[in-house]
Amino acid sequence: MKLDLKQKVLVAIYTEYQKDVPEMDNITQTLFDIDESKFIIALKKLENEDKINGLNFAEFAEGTFLFPNTMSQVMMTNHGMDYVENVLGIQPTLNGLEKVKEVASKVGGWGFEQLKDFAVKVTTEMIKSNF
């Protein structure tokens, strides 16, 4: 399967969202090795499609910018959750840790090492927080 940039960003947000206390500031353009403008466009598309909410953009002649700390306010919508679970074939009844393990397994099999590494990191954090 081939995910586009917008889908990769959404999967990363979904993965972080599974934690008891998500730290959405972990989702940055450096995670995807892209420039800020591509990251912002992907986020704007996801918000426009009602897959995420909580973003705060500023529009200037020079372009669109995210207000500082905006990512910390991002949340998945029900539509966004359903979309990711459908695309990745994840059972909605799984717990958060199981969902993150499924993400790591699926995206790792497709060769998306950045997302796989991120999902493994989130899995480790979730396991540590349960002890």
Side-chain angles (χ1 to χ4, degrees):
M1 171 166 229
K2 182 155 177 70
L3 298 177
D4 62 22
L5 176 61
K6 178 182 68 171
Q7 290 170 316
K8 289 177 185 177
V9 171
L10 186 61
V11 169
I13 292 169
Y14 173 88
T15 303
E16 184 68 29
Y17 184 85
Q18 299 308 314
K19 292 166 53 177
D20 288 338
V21 181
E23 299 172 69
M24 292 300 181
D25 289 327
N26 290 332
I27 313 298
T28 66
Q29 73 265 11
T30 56
L31 177 63
F32 307 98
D33 195 29
I34 58 171
D35 63 48
E36 186 177 26
S37 63
K38 288 181 181 178
F39 183 64
I40 289 173
I41 290 169
L43 290 171
K44 286 183 76 170
K45 286 179 177 182
L46 291 170
E47 185 175 59
N48 186 57
E49 295 168 8
D50 194 35
K51 292 183 175 121
I52 61 173
N53 60 33
L55 293 169
N56 195 0
F57 296 105
E59 301 281 342
F60 297 101
E62 298 84 19
T64 304
F65 301 91
L66 275 173
F67 277 99
N69 301 320
T70 294
M71 285 306 293
S72 64
Q73 303 302 314
V74 170
M75 292 300 261
M76 297 282 301
T77 64
N78 287 336
H79 176 63
M81 297 284 291
D82 292 343
Y83 179 84
V84 171
E85 290 169 354
N86 186 23
V87 167
L88 297 183
I90 296 173
Q91 293 296 318
T93 55
L94 296 176
N95 68 36
L97 181 58
E98 293 168 330
K99 287 180 179 181
V100 173
K101 287 180 180 179
E102 283 287 312
V103 169
S105 171
K106 303 280 181 165
V107 298
W110 297 332
F112 298 119
E113 292 306 313
Q114 293 162 318
L115 281 176
K116 179 184 175 193
D117 292 346
F118 182 72
V120 168
K121 177 181 174 257
V122 170
T123 300
T124 303
E125 291 172 0
M126 291 175 78
I127 290 170
K128 285 181 183 177
S129 71
N130 286 331
F131 286 107

